[in-house]
């Protein structure tokens, strides 16, 4: 729907950094100075709710899943290898006694530690270069035993990962201990990743946890998950993921124009309705505001989006309560025609208008 782009609204767009050559209409092709405005009504609220639900379901479906119970060896991992009954191949002799294998895995019976090179190969005496990347511990042990069987009769090999270095996730933002964290044989889910990083700081916004995987970014609302009885531990992290917890101060909206107290407002757990934003700014100025022209300016991927609410319409406040704002939104209340006339006249005759008004008073 086309509405006139008022000078005041254009000023507000420029003030919030939303307007520019791509944001404001080209008057050479649009002489009327028209802008595409979306009316805030029930159909819009319903469409936005469906879109949010669709994005949430799609994102969770891509992130949730059963973890791989078996760790796969990768380049950079450190392996402990023991060949039974062949002490010349081991850094420490370990006999075939009950519990010996458990001691090896736990570290109390550690033998030679070997590094998987950048090509995923393991170098071992007699066996030469054996590819172990992408294999489980048992599969790698079998591959090594097969290579040794050319020189040894029925070799028995025990292999375990001593150092997990090939798979890592990066956690930053509003957490106590940001940094790189290795993925080990215990699959890493979202709560465990945050726990390893020391937890979310009081300045962190739990409603804006961003998971970057490849070229995709997923926005996770932890509080929404809890409210919908969705187990956050079903969201699994994989090698190369970047997890970032946003700051509360970044989740703000700006209210300007004909309101009692223009200000920047911090959202509550990532949420704020249009009605709440107007209320926390003292409401619309009853003398100078135009209730039919309440705008929400939002930065979009293809340029700014502008929504309009007619606050005079029946049920407008109920609609405003259901319209959810997003971080960095600008709420702008236009001045009335009378207020605009008064201001323009004051610019033409500074001081004279006030004197004339004062002279008419008894």
């Amino acid at each position: 729907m086309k509405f006139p782009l008022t000078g005041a609204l254009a000023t507000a767009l420029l003030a919030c950094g939303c307007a520019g050559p791509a944001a404001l209409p080209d008057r050479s092709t649009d002489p009327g100075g028209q802008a595409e405005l979306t009316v805030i009504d029930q159909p819009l609220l319903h469409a936005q709710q469906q879109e949010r639900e669709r994005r949430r379901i799609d994102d969770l479906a891509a992130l949730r899943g059963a973890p791989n119970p078996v760790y796969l060896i990768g380049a950079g991992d450190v392996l402990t290898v023991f060949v039974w009954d062949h002490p010349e191949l081991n850094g420490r002799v370990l006999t075939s006694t009950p519990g010996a294998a458990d001691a090896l895995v736990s570290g109390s019976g550690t033998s030679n530690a070997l590094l998987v090179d950048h090509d995923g190969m393991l170098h071992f005496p007699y066996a030469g270069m054996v590819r172990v990347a992408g294999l489980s511990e048992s599969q790698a042990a079998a591959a090594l035993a097969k290579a040794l069987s050319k020189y040894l009769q029925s070799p028995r090999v025990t292999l375990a990962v001593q150092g997990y270095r090939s798979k890592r996730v990066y956690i930053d933002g509003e957490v106590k201990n940001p940094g790189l964290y290795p993925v080990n044989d215990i699959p890493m889910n979202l709560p465990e990743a945050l726990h390893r990083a020391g937890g979310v700081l009081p300045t962190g916004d739990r409603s804006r946890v961003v998971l970057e995987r490849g070229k995709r970014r997923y926005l996770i609302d932890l509080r929404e998950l809890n409210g919908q009885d969705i187990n956050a531990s079903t969201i699994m992290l994989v090698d190369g993921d970047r997890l970032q917890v946003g700051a509360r101060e970044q989740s703000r909206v700006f209210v300007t124009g004909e309101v009692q107290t223009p200000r920047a407002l911090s959202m509550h757990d990532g949420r704020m309705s249009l009605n709440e934003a107007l209320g926390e700014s003292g409401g619309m100025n009853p003398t100078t505001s135009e209730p039919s022209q309440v705008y929400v300016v939002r930065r979009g991927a293809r340029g700014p989006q502008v929504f309009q609410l007619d606050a005079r319409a029946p049920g407008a406040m109920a609609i405003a309560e259901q319209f959810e704002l997003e971080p960095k939104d600008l709420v702008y209340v236009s001045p009335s025609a009378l207020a605009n006339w008064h201001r323009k006249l004051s610019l033409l005759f500074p001081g004279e208008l006030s004197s004339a008004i004062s002279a008419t008073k008894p």
Side-chain angles (χ1 to χ4, degrees), residues 74-286:
D77 283 342
V78 178
L79 307 181
T80 296
V81 179
F82 182 81
V83 182
W84 296 85
D85 301 321
H86 287 276
E88 72 278 8
L89 299 179
N90 305 314
R92 177 175 177 178
V93 176
L94 190 65
T95 58
S96 304
T97 57
D102 293 337
L104 173 62
V105 174
S106 65
S108 60
T110 302
S111 64
N112 49 330
L114 302 172
L115 178 68
V116 181
D117 69 15
H118 64 279
D119 291 324
M121 308 296 288
L122 178 70
H123 185 270
F124 198 79
Y126 295 111
M129 303 297 287
V130 180
R131 177 168 295 280
V132 294
L135 303 180
S136 66
E137 292 176 343
S138 60
Q139 289 171 335
L144 184 57
K146 181 179 180 180
L148 288 172
S149 64
K150 298 177 182 179
Y151 307 96
L152 304 177
Q153 185 176 2
S154 302
R156 291 193 300 146
V157 177
T158 299
L159 181 147
V161 180
Q162 183 179 0
Y164 297 91
R165 299 169 51 183
S166 65
K167 300 174 179 61
R168 297 178 295 180
V169 298
Y170 182 65
I171 307 173
D172 68 348
E174 299 301 308
V175 293
K176 186 176 181 180
N177 302 310
L180 283 169
Y181 290 86
V183 179
N184 54 29
D185 57 331
I186 301 176
M188 184 184 293
N189 56 41
L190 178 59
E192 181 176 346
L194 295 175
H195 177 73
R196 289 194 192 183
V200 180
L201 295 173
T203 55
D205 186 352
R206 293 177 177 271
S207 68
R208 302 195 68 79
V209 178
V210 177
L211 177 60
E212 294 184 10
R213 178 172 298 171
K215 296 182 179 180
R216 290 203 60 181
R217 300 175 80 250
Y218 302 91
L219 179 61
I220 303 171
D221 187 338
L222 293 177
R223 297 187 181 276
E224 185 180 68
L225 294 182
N226 294 333
Q228 296 181 355
D229 295 328
I230 297 176
N231 190 348
S233 63
T234 59
I235 298 177
M236 309 304 302
L237 272 65
V238 299
D239 178 37
D241 280 355
R242 180 172 183 255
L243 190 66
Q244 183 177 37
V245 180
R248 287 180 180 270
E249 65 178 13
Q250 295 177 342
S251 297
R252 296 193 297 174
V253 298
F254 307 92
V255 186
T256 186
E258 304 305 313
V259 292
Q260 299 287 8
T261 311
R263 56 190 299 192
L265 301 172
S266 296
M267 304 181 78
H268 311 302
D269 296 328
R271 281 189 168 81
M272 177 170 285
S273 68
L274 175 57
N275 197 33
E276 288 175 321
L278 292 172
E280 292 190 23
S281 301
M284 291 179 282
N285 190 316

Side-chain angles (χ1 to χ4, degrees), residues 258 287-291 334-341 343:
E258 304 305 313
T287 305
T288 61
S289 67
E290 176 51 63
S334 289
S336 64
L338 181 61
N340 272 329
W341 175 83
R343 290 167 184 169

Side-chain angles (χ1 to χ4, degrees), residues 36-50:
E36 194 80 21
L37 304 183
T38 303
V39 175
I40 302 176
D41 53 15
Q42 284 294 348
L44 174 67
L45 297 178
H46 181 68
Q48 289 184 335
Q49 177 62 30
Q50 285 187 322

Side-chain angles (χ1 to χ4, degrees), residues 270-313:
R271 281 189 168 81
M272 177 170 285
S273 68
L274 175 57
N275 197 33
E276 288 175 321
L278 292 172
E280 292 190 23
S281 301
M284 291 179 282
N285 190 316
T287 305
T288 61
S289 67
E290 176 51 63
S292 66
Q293 295 181 19
V294 179
Y295 299 100
V296 176
V297 183
R298 177 173 300 163
R299 294 183 182 182
R302 300 179 180 177
Q305 297 175 280
V306 184
F307 303 90
Q308 182 184 16
L309 174 72
D310 183 355
R312 302 173 307 176

